[in-house]
Amino acid sequence: MIELDNIAYSYGGGELLSDITLSLQPGSFYFLTGPSGAGKTTFMKLCYGALTPTAGSARLFGQDVRKMTRVDQANTRRRIGVVHQDCQFLDHLPLNENVALPLTVSGKDNLEQVSNLKELLAWVGLKNRALALPPELSGGERQRAALARAVIMSPDVVLADEPTGNVDWEMSQRLLQLLIELNKMGKTVLIATHDMNLIRTAKSKVQARVLRIANRRVQLAGADL
């Protein structure tokens, strides 16, 4: 699904990541850890094609990112849902329309999809907040809305960059459970986090592997959790 072969990424004249070889398989669950500034967000961007490696090759669903046309890129992005660390919404649109934006952009906002949207908002516990504007949402509600928007196109892969970084422990647990449920549906999940307690809590609920960024490289940290 996502195959990185000896990739590197340089930024501002210095190499941020180097010699990374990794393959994310269907239905797998990963955590990505590392200190602030180590390159977790950059690594995530390489995984969904927002950045092109400066060395080596990255393949998404069998396609080399360097050879993708704009149509290829758009089709690939629909198969990878991304929950950004700092989720951005259009403040003048209600929550349900913000979540549905990927459908609107792709021209799939038909009646069936509208019904799916209602189910999705109920799944993330935001059914009663559908008409709320983004400034009215709490941090936890914004993160759950971001997750809903990331999966509304039913992607094969979900990448979450510090999804619990701005919420309390109870909400962290709730978000983790939603991501575990997605994995049990067959989705590949990769969560970037510095919260080791979150990873430890996950070990009784899901088989996961921990990837650690250290010295510009991504290393597998131990056995299944």
Side-chain angles (χ1 to χ4, degrees), residues 77-78 87-110 113-114 117 120-121 130 134 145-153:
R77 297 280 175 84
R78 291 187 186 117
C87 46
Q88 300 294 321
F89 298 101
L90 298 179
D91 287 349
H92 66 285
L93 293 180
L95 171 63
N96 58 355
E97 291 186 35
N98 268 285
V99 171
L101 277 175
L103 294 175
T104 305
V105 171
S106 63
K108 295 184 178 180
D109 50 346
N110 52 39
Q113 295 293 352
V114 170
L117 172 62
L120 181 58
L121 289 178
L147 178 58
R149 185 173 61 186
V151 302
I152 195 166
M153 297 290 287

PDB file of all heavy atoms in Angstrom, residues 77-78 87-110 113-114 117 120-121 130 134 145-153:
ATOM      1  N   ARG A  77      -4.992  10.299  -3.037  1.00  0.00           N
ATOM      2  CA  ARG A  77      -5.346  11.018  -1.798  1.00  0.00           C
ATOM      3  C   ARG A  77      -6.706  10.583  -1.264  1.00  0.00           C
ATOM      4  O   ARG A  77      -6.942  10.609  -0.058  1.00  0.00           O
ATOM      5  CB  ARG A  77      -5.348  12.528  -2.056  1.00  0.00           C
ATOM      6  CG  ARG A  77      -3.996  13.098  -2.460  1.00  0.00           C
ATOM      7  CD  ARG A  77      -3.060  13.325  -1.293  1.00  0.00           C
ATOM      8  NE  ARG A  77      -1.742  13.766  -1.709  1.00  0.00           N
ATOM      9  CZ  ARG A  77      -1.420  15.016  -1.981  1.00  0.00           C
ATOM     10  NH1 ARG A  77      -2.336  15.965  -1.894  1.00  0.00           N
ATOM     11  NH2 ARG A  77      -0.189  15.322  -2.343  1.00  0.00           N
ATOM     12  N   ARG A  78      -7.592  10.169  -2.164  1.00  0.00           N
ATOM     13  CA  ARG A  78      -8.908   9.705  -1.701  1.00  0.00           C
ATOM     14  C   ARG A  78      -8.801   8.380  -0.944  1.00  0.00           C
ATOM     15  O   ARG A  78      -9.693   8.038  -0.168  1.00  0.00           O
ATOM     16  CB  ARG A  78      -9.863   9.540  -2.889  1.00  0.00           C
ATOM     17  CG  ARG A  78     -10.264  10.866  -3.541  1.00  0.00           C
ATOM     18  CD  ARG A  78     -11.339  10.672  -4.595  1.00  0.00           C
ATOM     19  NE  ARG A  78     -11.607  11.914  -5.285  1.00  0.00           N
ATOM     20  CZ  ARG A  78     -11.405  12.124  -6.584  1.00  0.00           C
ATOM     21  NH1 ARG A  78     -10.918  11.148  -7.331  1.00  0.00           N
ATOM     22  NH2 ARG A  78     -11.679  13.282  -7.134  1.00  0.00           N
ATOM     23  N   CYS A  87      -5.967  20.683  12.982  1.00  0.00           N
ATOM     24  CA  CYS A  87      -7.051  20.528  12.013  1.00  0.00           C
ATOM     25  C   CYS A  87      -7.696  21.887  11.703  1.00  0.00           C
ATOM     26  O   CYS A  87      -8.041  22.640  12.594  1.00  0.00           O
ATOM     27  CB  CYS A  87      -8.094  19.544  12.528  1.00  0.00           C
ATOM     28  SG  CYS A  87      -8.590  19.804  14.244  1.00  0.00           S
ATOM     29  N   GLN A  88      -7.840  22.171  10.416  1.00  0.00           N
ATOM     30  CA  GLN A  88      -8.394  23.442   9.958  1.00  0.00           C
ATOM     31  C   GLN A  88      -9.801  23.229   9.394  1.00  0.00           C
ATOM     32  O   GLN A  88     -10.041  22.272   8.663  1.00  0.00           O
ATOM     33  CB  GLN A  88      -7.492  24.042   8.875  1.00  0.00           C
ATOM     34  CG  GLN A  88      -6.069  24.330   9.329  1.00  0.00           C
ATOM     35  CD  GLN A  88      -6.008  25.419  10.376  1.00  0.00           C
ATOM     36  OE1 GLN A  88      -6.742  26.402  10.306  1.00  0.00           O
ATOM     37  NE2 GLN A  88      -5.124  25.245  11.357  1.00  0.00           N
ATOM     38  N   PHE A  89     -10.698  24.135   9.755  1.00  0.00           N
ATOM     39  CA  PHE A  89     -12.063  24.087   9.247  1.00  0.00           C
ATOM     40  C   PHE A  89     -12.439  25.456   8.679  1.00  0.00           C
ATOM     41  O   PHE A  89     -11.791  26.462   8.984  1.00  0.00           O
ATOM     42  CB  PHE A  89     -13.051  23.715  10.355  1.00  0.00           C
ATOM     43  CG  PHE A  89     -12.822  22.352  10.945  1.00  0.00           C
ATOM     44  CD1 PHE A  89     -12.165  22.200  12.161  1.00  0.00           C
ATOM     45  CD2 PHE A  89     -13.260  21.217  10.287  1.00  0.00           C
ATOM     46  CE1 PHE A  89     -11.949  20.956  12.701  1.00  0.00           C
ATOM     47  CE2 PHE A  89     -13.048  19.960  10.824  1.00  0.00           C
ATOM     48  CZ  PHE A  89     -12.384  19.829  12.032  1.00  0.00           C
ATOM     49  N   LEU A  90     -13.497  25.458   7.873  1.00  0.00           N
ATOM     50  CA  LEU A  90     -14.052  26.722   7.370  1.00  0.00           C
ATOM     51  C   LEU A  90     -15.058  27.215   8.407  1.00  0.00           C
ATOM     52  O   LEU A  90     -16.121  26.614   8.590  1.00  0.00           O
ATOM     53  CB  LEU A  90     -14.720  26.508   6.012  1.00  0.00           C
ATOM     54  CG  LEU A  90     -13.788  26.023   4.896  1.00  0.00           C
ATOM     55  CD1 LEU A  90     -14.562  25.812   3.596  1.00  0.00           C
ATOM     56  CD2 LEU A  90     -12.644  27.003   4.677  1.00  0.00           C
ATOM     57  N   ASP A  91     -14.720  28.307   9.084  1.00  0.00           N
ATOM     58  CA  ASP A  91     -15.498  28.743  10.237  1.00  0.00           C
ATOM     59  C   ASP A  91     -16.922  29.175   9.900  1.00  0.00           C
ATOM     60  O   ASP A  91     -17.779  29.201  10.784  1.00  0.00           O
ATOM     61  CB  ASP A  91     -14.775  29.902  10.948  1.00  0.00           C
ATOM     62  CG  ASP A  91     -13.551  29.426  11.720  1.00  0.00           C
ATOM     63  OD1 ASP A  91     -13.387  28.204  11.884  1.00  0.00           O
ATOM     64  OD2 ASP A  91     -12.745  30.285  12.147  1.00  0.00           O
ATOM     65  N   HIS A  92     -17.180  29.512   8.629  1.00  0.00           N
ATOM     66  CA  HIS A  92     -18.526  29.964   8.274  1.00  0.00           C
ATOM     67  C   HIS A  92     -19.460  28.813   7.912  1.00  0.00           C
ATOM     68  O   HIS A  92     -20.657  29.024   7.696  1.00  0.00           O
ATOM     69  CB  HIS A  92     -18.457  30.951   7.099  1.00  0.00           C
ATOM     70  CG  HIS A  92     -17.978  30.340   5.814  1.00  0.00           C
ATOM     71  ND1 HIS A  92     -16.650  30.022   5.596  1.00  0.00           N
ATOM     72  CD2 HIS A  92     -18.653  29.977   4.683  1.00  0.00           C
ATOM     73  CE1 HIS A  92     -16.521  29.506   4.390  1.00  0.00           C
ATOM     74  NE2 HIS A  92     -17.722  29.458   3.824  1.00  0.00           N
ATOM     75  N   LEU A  93     -18.909  27.591   7.841  1.00  0.00           N
ATOM     76  CA  LEU A  93     -19.735  26.430   7.505  1.00  0.00           C
ATOM     77  C   LEU A  93     -20.006  25.593   8.748  1.00  0.00           C
ATOM     78  O   LEU A  93     -19.131  25.444   9.605  1.00  0.00           O
ATOM     79  CB  LEU A  93     -19.036  25.545   6.476  1.00  0.00           C
ATOM     80  CG  LEU A  93     -18.837  26.113   5.073  1.00  0.00           C
ATOM     81  CD1 LEU A  93     -18.123  25.086   4.196  1.00  0.00           C
ATOM     82  CD2 LEU A  93     -20.177  26.508   4.448  1.00  0.00           C
ATOM     83  N   PRO A  94     -21.221  25.042   8.880  1.00  0.00           N
ATOM     84  CA  PRO A  94     -21.506  24.173  10.027  1.00  0.00           C
ATOM     85  C   PRO A  94     -20.679  22.896   9.965  1.00  0.00           C
ATOM     86  O   PRO A  94     -20.116  22.541   8.922  1.00  0.00           O
ATOM     87  CB  PRO A  94     -23.004  23.881   9.891  1.00  0.00           C
ATOM     88  CG  PRO A  94     -23.307  24.088   8.448  1.00  0.00           C
ATOM     89  CD  PRO A  94     -22.393  25.186   7.987  1.00  0.00           C
ATOM     90  N   LEU A  95     -20.614  22.209  11.081  1.00  0.00           N
ATOM     91  CA  LEU A  95     -19.786  21.012  11.201  1.00  0.00           C
ATOM     92  C   LEU A  95     -20.074  19.982  10.120  1.00  0.00           C
ATOM     93  O   LEU A  95     -19.148  19.446   9.493  1.00  0.00           O
ATOM     94  CB  LEU A  95     -20.015  20.393  12.588  1.00  0.00           C
ATOM     95  CG  LEU A  95     -19.403  19.011  12.832  1.00  0.00           C
ATOM     96  CD1 LEU A  95     -17.903  19.076  12.746  1.00  0.00           C
ATOM     97  CD2 LEU A  95     -19.850  18.468  14.171  1.00  0.00           C
ATOM     98  N   ASN A  96     -21.359  19.707   9.872  1.00  0.00           N
ATOM     99  CA  ASN A  96     -21.668  18.658   8.897  1.00  0.00           C
ATOM    100  C   ASN A  96     -21.147  19.007   7.502  1.00  0.00           C
ATOM    101  O   ASN A  96     -20.681  18.131   6.770  1.00  0.00           O
ATOM    102  CB  ASN A  96     -23.173  18.352   8.881  1.00  0.00           C
ATOM    103  CG  ASN A  96     -24.031  19.557   8.570  1.00  0.00           C
ATOM    104  OD1 ASN A  96     -23.544  20.687   8.442  1.00  0.00           O
ATOM    105  ND2 ASN A  96     -25.341  19.348   8.449  1.00  0.00           N
ATOM    106  N   GLU A  97     -21.185  20.275   7.122  1.00  0.00           N
ATOM    107  CA  GLU A  97     -20.687  20.668   5.804  1.00  0.00           C
ATOM    108  C   GLU A  97     -19.160  20.622   5.751  1.00  0.00           C
ATOM    109  O   GLU A  97     -18.568  20.308   4.725  1.00  0.00           O
ATOM    110  CB  GLU A  97     -21.204  22.052   5.427  1.00  0.00           C
ATOM    111  CG  GLU A  97     -22.707  22.082   5.163  1.00  0.00           C
ATOM    112  CD  GLU A  97     -23.178  23.435   4.652  1.00  0.00           C
ATOM    113  OE1 GLU A  97     -22.418  24.091   3.904  1.00  0.00           O
ATOM    114  OE2 GLU A  97     -24.318  23.832   5.004  1.00  0.00           O
ATOM    115  N   ASN A  98     -18.518  20.948   6.858  1.00  0.00           N
ATOM    116  CA  ASN A  98     -17.062  20.838   6.927  1.00  0.00           C
ATOM    117  C   ASN A  98     -16.624  19.386   6.757  1.00  0.00           C
ATOM    118  O   ASN A  98     -15.687  19.083   6.012  1.00  0.00           O
ATOM    119  CB  ASN A  98     -16.538  21.393   8.249  1.00  0.00           C
ATOM    120  CG  ASN A  98     -16.159  22.864   8.173  1.00  0.00           C
ATOM    121  OD1 ASN A  98     -15.133  23.226   7.613  1.00  0.00           O
ATOM    122  ND2 ASN A  98     -17.012  23.711   8.715  1.00  0.00           N
ATOM    123  N   VAL A  99     -17.303  18.492   7.451  1.00  0.00           N
ATOM    124  CA  VAL A  99     -16.959  17.073   7.358  1.00  0.00           C
ATOM    125  C   VAL A  99     -17.210  16.543   5.951  1.00  0.00           C
ATOM    126  O   VAL A  99     -16.466  15.704   5.436  1.00  0.00           O
ATOM    127  CB  VAL A  99     -17.758  16.255   8.398  1.00  0.00           C
ATOM    128  CG1 VAL A  99     -17.588  14.750   8.169  1.00  0.00           C
ATOM    129  CG2 VAL A  99     -17.315  16.623   9.807  1.00  0.00           C
ATOM    130  N   ALA A 100     -18.250  17.069   5.302  1.00  0.00           N
ATOM    131  CA  ALA A 100     -18.635  16.591   3.972  1.00  0.00           C
ATOM    132  C   ALA A 100     -17.830  17.219   2.834  1.00  0.00           C
ATOM    133  O   ALA A 100     -18.031  16.860   1.674  1.00  0.00           O
ATOM    134  CB  ALA A 100     -20.125  16.848   3.746  1.00  0.00           C
ATOM    135  N   LEU A 101     -16.917  18.133   3.136  1.00  0.00           N
ATOM    136  CA  LEU A 101     -16.175  18.821   2.073  1.00  0.00           C
ATOM    137  C   LEU A 101     -15.500  17.869   1.083  1.00  0.00           C
ATOM    138  O   LEU A 101     -15.549  18.118  -0.133  1.00  0.00           O
ATOM    139  CB  LEU A 101     -15.145  19.770   2.680  1.00  0.00           C
ATOM    140  CG  LEU A 101     -15.674  21.147   3.106  1.00  0.00           C
ATOM    141  CD1 LEU A 101     -14.581  21.943   3.802  1.00  0.00           C
ATOM    142  CD2 LEU A 101     -16.205  21.921   1.899  1.00  0.00           C
ATOM    143  N   PRO A 102     -14.852  16.775   1.526  1.00  0.00           N
ATOM    144  CA  PRO A 102     -14.254  15.867   0.537  1.00  0.00           C
ATOM    145  C   PRO A 102     -15.282  15.298  -0.440  1.00  0.00           C
ATOM    146  O   PRO A 102     -14.977  15.101  -1.624  1.00  0.00           O
ATOM    147  CB  PRO A 102     -13.633  14.757   1.396  1.00  0.00           C
ATOM    148  CG  PRO A 102     -13.352  15.431   2.703  1.00  0.00           C
ATOM    149  CD  PRO A 102     -14.500  16.379   2.898  1.00  0.00           C
ATOM    150  N   LEU A 103     -16.508  15.040   0.042  1.00  0.00           N
ATOM    151  CA  LEU A 103     -17.571  14.561  -0.851  1.00  0.00           C
ATOM    152  C   LEU A 103     -17.954  15.639  -1.852  1.00  0.00           C
ATOM    153  O   LEU A 103     -18.140  15.376  -3.041  1.00  0.00           O
ATOM    154  CB  LEU A 103     -18.802  14.156  -0.035  1.00  0.00           C
ATOM    155  CG  LEU A 103     -18.679  12.962   0.901  1.00  0.00           C
ATOM    156  CD1 LEU A 103     -19.970  12.803   1.692  1.00  0.00           C
ATOM    157  CD2 LEU A 103     -18.381  11.695   0.121  1.00  0.00           C
ATOM    158  N   THR A 104     -18.093  16.868  -1.354  1.00  0.00           N
ATOM    159  CA  THR A 104     -18.490  17.983  -2.220  1.00  0.00           C
ATOM    160  C   THR A 104     -17.458  18.216  -3.309  1.00  0.00           C
ATOM    161  O   THR A 104     -17.797  18.375  -4.491  1.00  0.00           O
ATOM    162  CB  THR A 104     -18.663  19.262  -1.378  1.00  0.00           C
ATOM    163  OG1 THR A 104     -19.592  19.013  -0.326  1.00  0.00           O
ATOM    164  CG2 THR A 104     -19.175  20.398  -2.242  1.00  0.00           C
ATOM    165  N   VAL A 105     -16.183  18.223  -2.936  1.00  0.00           N
ATOM    166  CA  VAL A 105     -15.106  18.462  -3.896  1.00  0.00           C
ATOM    167  C   VAL A 105     -15.068  17.370  -4.967  1.00  0.00           C
ATOM    168  O   VAL A 105     -14.813  17.640  -6.146  1.00  0.00           O
ATOM    169  CB  VAL A 105     -13.745  18.548  -3.167  1.00  0.00           C
ATOM    170  CG1 VAL A 105     -12.597  18.576  -4.163  1.00  0.00           C
ATOM    171  CG2 VAL A 105     -13.711  19.789  -2.285  1.00  0.00           C
ATOM    172  N   SER A 106     -15.355  16.128  -4.560  1.00  0.00           N
ATOM    173  CA  SER A 106     -15.292  15.012  -5.509  1.00  0.00           C
ATOM    174  C   SER A 106     -16.607  14.785  -6.251  1.00  0.00           C
ATOM    175  O   SER A 106     -16.709  13.895  -7.086  1.00  0.00           O
ATOM    176  CB  SER A 106     -14.905  13.722  -4.777  1.00  0.00           C
ATOM    177  OG  SER A 106     -15.893  13.383  -3.822  1.00  0.00           O
ATOM    178  N   GLY A 107     -17.624  15.598  -5.930  1.00  0.00           N
ATOM    179  CA  GLY A 107     -18.906  15.480  -6.619  1.00  0.00           C
ATOM    180  C   GLY A 107     -19.732  14.289  -6.189  1.00  0.00           C
ATOM    181  O   GLY A 107     -20.595  13.815  -6.922  1.00  0.00           O
ATOM    182  N   LYS A 108     -19.503  13.796  -4.975  1.00  0.00           N
ATOM    183  CA  LYS A 108     -20.208  12.601  -4.499  1.00  0.00           C
ATOM    184  C   LYS A 108     -21.214  12.915  -3.394  1.00  0.00           C
ATOM    185  O   LYS A 108     -21.600  12.036  -2.635  1.00  0.00           O
ATOM    186  CB  LYS A 108     -19.200  11.568  -3.989  1.00  0.00           C
ATOM    187  CG  LYS A 108     -18.294  11.022  -5.081  1.00  0.00           C
ATOM    188  CD  LYS A 108     -17.383   9.923  -4.550  1.00  0.00           C
ATOM    189  CE  LYS A 108     -16.533   9.353  -5.670  1.00  0.00           C
ATOM    190  NZ  LYS A 108     -15.638   8.268  -5.181  1.00  0.00           N
ATOM    191  N   ASP A 109     -21.611  14.171  -3.302  1.00  0.00           N
ATOM    192  CA  ASP A 109     -22.542  14.561  -2.239  1.00  0.00           C
ATOM    193  C   ASP A 109     -23.983  14.285  -2.637  1.00  0.00           C
ATOM    194  O   ASP A 109     -24.819  15.185  -2.714  1.00  0.00           O
ATOM    195  CB  ASP A 109     -22.343  16.031  -1.860  1.00  0.00           C
ATOM    196  CG  ASP A 109     -22.341  16.956  -3.072  1.00  0.00           C
ATOM    197  OD1 ASP A 109     -22.223  16.448  -4.201  1.00  0.00           O
ATOM    198  OD2 ASP A 109     -22.456  18.176  -2.872  1.00  0.00           O
ATOM    199  N   ASN A 110     -24.302  12.997  -2.889  1.00  0.00           N
ATOM    200  CA  ASN A 110     -25.671  12.611  -3.237  1.00  0.00           C
ATOM    201  C   ASN A 110     -26.427  12.182  -1.973  1.00  0.00           C
ATOM    202  O   ASN A 110     -25.896  12.215  -0.862  1.00  0.00           O
ATOM    203  CB  ASN A 110     -25.655  11.474  -4.264  1.00  0.00           C
ATOM    204  CG  ASN A 110     -24.776  10.315  -3.817  1.00  0.00           C
ATOM    205  OD1 ASN A 110     -24.756   9.961  -2.640  1.00  0.00           O
ATOM    206  ND2 ASN A 110     -24.026   9.739  -4.742  1.00  0.00           N
ATOM    207  N   GLN A 113     -24.812   9.449   0.198  1.00  0.00           N
ATOM    208  CA  GLN A 113     -23.664   9.922   0.958  1.00  0.00           C
ATOM    209  C   GLN A 113     -24.100  10.810   2.116  1.00  0.00           C
ATOM    210  O   GLN A 113     -23.469  10.808   3.184  1.00  0.00           O
ATOM    211  CB  GLN A 113     -22.698  10.678   0.043  1.00  0.00           C
ATOM    212  CG  GLN A 113     -22.050   9.815  -1.019  1.00  0.00           C
ATOM    213  CD  GLN A 113     -21.108   8.769  -0.437  1.00  0.00           C
ATOM    214  OE1 GLN A 113     -20.830   8.776   0.747  1.00  0.00           O
ATOM    215  NE2 GLN A 113     -20.631   7.875  -1.276  1.00  0.00           N
ATOM    216  N   VAL A 114     -25.161  11.571   1.929  1.00  0.00           N
ATOM    217  CA  VAL A 114     -25.684  12.395   3.022  1.00  0.00           C
ATOM    218  C   VAL A 114     -26.144  11.506   4.174  1.00  0.00           C
ATOM    219  O   VAL A 114     -25.930  11.812   5.351  1.00  0.00           O
ATOM    220  CB  VAL A 114     -26.843  13.287   2.520  1.00  0.00           C
ATOM    221  CG1 VAL A 114     -27.554  13.948   3.693  1.00  0.00           C
ATOM    222  CG2 VAL A 114     -26.309  14.357   1.573  1.00  0.00           C
ATOM    223  N   LEU A 117     -23.158  10.345   5.959  1.00  0.00           N
ATOM    224  CA  LEU A 117     -22.610  11.419   6.786  1.00  0.00           C
ATOM    225  C   LEU A 117     -23.274  11.431   8.152  1.00  0.00           C
ATOM    226  O   LEU A 117     -22.604  11.578   9.181  1.00  0.00           O
ATOM    227  CB  LEU A 117     -22.801  12.770   6.080  1.00  0.00           C
ATOM    228  CG  LEU A 117     -22.462  14.019   6.891  1.00  0.00           C
ATOM    229  CD1 LEU A 117     -20.988  14.025   7.285  1.00  0.00           C
ATOM    230  CD2 LEU A 117     -22.811  15.277   6.086  1.00  0.00           C
ATOM    231  N   LEU A 120     -21.907   8.655  10.145  1.00  0.00           N
ATOM    232  CA  LEU A 120     -20.527   8.927  10.532  1.00  0.00           C
ATOM    233  C   LEU A 120     -20.462   9.890  11.714  1.00  0.00           C
ATOM    234  O   LEU A 120     -19.698   9.683  12.667  1.00  0.00           O
ATOM    235  CB  LEU A 120     -19.766   9.502   9.336  1.00  0.00           C
ATOM    236  CG  LEU A 120     -18.286   9.836   9.538  1.00  0.00           C
ATOM    237  CD1 LEU A 120     -17.509   8.602   9.983  1.00  0.00           C
ATOM    238  CD2 LEU A 120     -17.700  10.391   8.239  1.00  0.00           C
ATOM    239  N   LEU A 121     -21.280  10.939  11.688  1.00  0.00           N
ATOM    240  CA  LEU A 121     -21.307  11.890  12.798  1.00  0.00           C
ATOM    241  C   LEU A 121     -21.792  11.209  14.079  1.00  0.00           C
ATOM    242  O   LEU A 121     -21.301  11.507  15.169  1.00  0.00           O
ATOM    243  CB  LEU A 121     -22.198  13.082  12.449  1.00  0.00           C
ATOM    244  CG  LEU A 121     -21.647  14.035  11.390  1.00  0.00           C
ATOM    245  CD1 LEU A 121     -22.652  15.151  11.106  1.00  0.00           C
ATOM    246  CD2 LEU A 121     -20.311  14.627  11.811  1.00  0.00           C
ATOM    247  N   ALA A 130     -24.122  18.677  14.621  1.00  0.00           N
ATOM    248  CA  ALA A 130     -24.017  18.764  13.168  1.00  0.00           C
ATOM    249  C   ALA A 130     -24.111  20.193  12.638  1.00  0.00           C
ATOM    250  O   ALA A 130     -23.458  20.542  11.653  1.00  0.00           O
ATOM    251  CB  ALA A 130     -25.095  17.905  12.506  1.00  0.00           C
ATOM    252  N   PRO A 134     -17.487  25.700  13.619  1.00  0.00           N
ATOM    253  CA  PRO A 134     -16.204  25.282  14.197  1.00  0.00           C
ATOM    254  C   PRO A 134     -15.765  26.065  15.435  1.00  0.00           C
ATOM    255  O   PRO A 134     -15.270  25.443  16.390  1.00  0.00           O
ATOM    256  CB  PRO A 134     -15.236  25.459  13.023  1.00  0.00           C
ATOM    257  CG  PRO A 134     -16.079  25.160  11.829  1.00  0.00           C
ATOM    258  CD  PRO A 134     -17.423  25.772  12.140  1.00  0.00           C
ATOM    259  N   ALA A 145     -14.219  15.561  14.697  1.00  0.00           N
ATOM    260  CA  ALA A 145     -14.688  16.038  13.392  1.00  0.00           C
ATOM    261  C   ALA A 145     -13.603  15.840  12.328  1.00  0.00           C
ATOM    262  O   ALA A 145     -13.897  15.468  11.188  1.00  0.00           O
ATOM    263  CB  ALA A 145     -15.087  17.507  13.480  1.00  0.00           C
ATOM    264  N   ALA A 146     -12.357  16.089  12.728  1.00  0.00           N
ATOM    265  CA  ALA A 146     -11.244  15.901  11.792  1.00  0.00           C
ATOM    266  C   ALA A 146     -11.129  14.441  11.383  1.00  0.00           C
ATOM    267  O   ALA A 146     -10.859  14.119  10.219  1.00  0.00           O
ATOM    268  CB  ALA A 146      -9.940  16.386  12.419  1.00  0.00           C
ATOM    269  N   LEU A 147     -11.331  13.531  12.336  1.00  0.00           N
ATOM    270  CA  LEU A 147     -11.288  12.105  12.025  1.00  0.00           C
ATOM    271  C   LEU A 147     -12.436  11.729  11.087  1.00  0.00           C
ATOM    272  O   LEU A 147     -12.243  10.982  10.122  1.00  0.00           O
ATOM    273  CB  LEU A 147     -11.361  11.289  13.317  1.00  0.00           C
ATOM    274  CG  LEU A 147     -11.376   9.767  13.160  1.00  0.00           C
ATOM    275  CD1 LEU A 147     -10.139   9.279  12.407  1.00  0.00           C
ATOM    276  CD2 LEU A 147     -11.461   9.085  14.529  1.00  0.00           C
ATOM    277  N   ALA A 148     -13.625  12.263  11.366  1.00  0.00           N
ATOM    278  CA  ALA A 148     -14.774  11.980  10.500  1.00  0.00           C
ATOM    279  C   ALA A 148     -14.503  12.458   9.072  1.00  0.00           C
ATOM    280  O   ALA A 148     -14.794  11.749   8.098  1.00  0.00           O
ATOM    281  CB  ALA A 148     -16.032  12.646  11.065  1.00  0.00           C
ATOM    282  N   ARG A 149     -13.959  13.652   8.937  1.00  0.00           N
ATOM    283  CA  ARG A 149     -13.656  14.178   7.598  1.00  0.00           C
ATOM    284  C   ARG A 149     -12.603  13.324   6.895  1.00  0.00           C
ATOM    285  O   ARG A 149     -12.672  13.116   5.682  1.00  0.00           O
ATOM    286  CB  ARG A 149     -13.183  15.625   7.708  1.00  0.00           C
ATOM    287  CG  ARG A 149     -12.965  16.300   6.361  1.00  0.00           C
ATOM    288  CD  ARG A 149     -12.665  17.784   6.525  1.00  0.00           C
ATOM    289  NE  ARG A 149     -11.451  18.018   7.299  1.00  0.00           N
ATOM    290  CZ  ARG A 149     -11.031  19.224   7.681  1.00  0.00           C
ATOM    291  NH1 ARG A 149     -11.751  20.298   7.370  1.00  0.00           N
ATOM    292  NH2 ARG A 149      -9.930  19.371   8.375  1.00  0.00           N
ATOM    293  N   ALA A 150     -11.639  12.806   7.661  1.00  0.00           N
ATOM    294  CA  ALA A 150     -10.573  12.003   7.074  1.00  0.00           C
ATOM    295  C   ALA A 150     -11.074  10.673   6.529  1.00  0.00           C
ATOM    296  O   ALA A 150     -10.490  10.124   5.589  1.00  0.00           O
ATOM    297  CB  ALA A 150      -9.472  11.760   8.103  1.00  0.00           C
ATOM    298  N   VAL A 151     -12.140  10.139   7.121  1.00  0.00           N
ATOM    299  CA  VAL A 151     -12.590   8.801   6.712  1.00  0.00           C
ATOM    300  C   VAL A 151     -13.881   8.818   5.905  1.00  0.00           C
ATOM    301  O   VAL A 151     -14.381   7.752   5.540  1.00  0.00           O
ATOM    302  CB  VAL A 151     -12.759   7.881   7.948  1.00  0.00           C
ATOM    303  CG1 VAL A 151     -11.455   7.788   8.716  1.00  0.00           C
ATOM    304  CG2 VAL A 151     -13.892   8.331   8.852  1.00  0.00           C
ATOM    305  N   ILE A 152     -14.401   9.996   5.595  1.00  0.00           N
ATOM    306  CA  ILE A 152     -15.707  10.053   4.932  1.00  0.00           C
ATOM    307  C   ILE A 152     -15.680   9.455   3.524  1.00  0.00           C
ATOM    308  O   ILE A 152     -16.683   8.977   3.016  1.00  0.00           O
ATOM    309  CB  ILE A 152     -16.252  11.502   4.901  1.00  0.00           C
ATOM    310  CG1 ILE A 152     -17.747  11.479   4.550  1.00  0.00           C
ATOM    311  CG2 ILE A 152     -15.453  12.370   3.910  1.00  0.00           C
ATOM    312  CD1 ILE A 152     -18.467  12.771   4.817  1.00  0.00           C
ATOM    313  N   MET A 153     -14.481   9.423   2.903  1.00  0.00           N
ATOM    314  CA  MET A 153     -14.362   8.828   1.567  1.00  0.00           C
ATOM    315  C   MET A 153     -14.030   7.338   1.645  1.00  0.00           C
ATOM    316  O   MET A 153     -13.710   6.714   0.636  1.00  0.00           O
ATOM    317  CB  MET A 153     -13.277   9.555   0.779  1.00  0.00           C
ATOM    318  CG  MET A 153     -13.549  11.023   0.523  1.00  0.00           C
ATOM    319  SD  MET A 153     -14.887  11.309  -0.654  1.00  0.00           S
ATOM    320  CE  MET A 153     -14.097  10.842  -2.191  1.00  0.00           C
TER     321      MET A 153
END
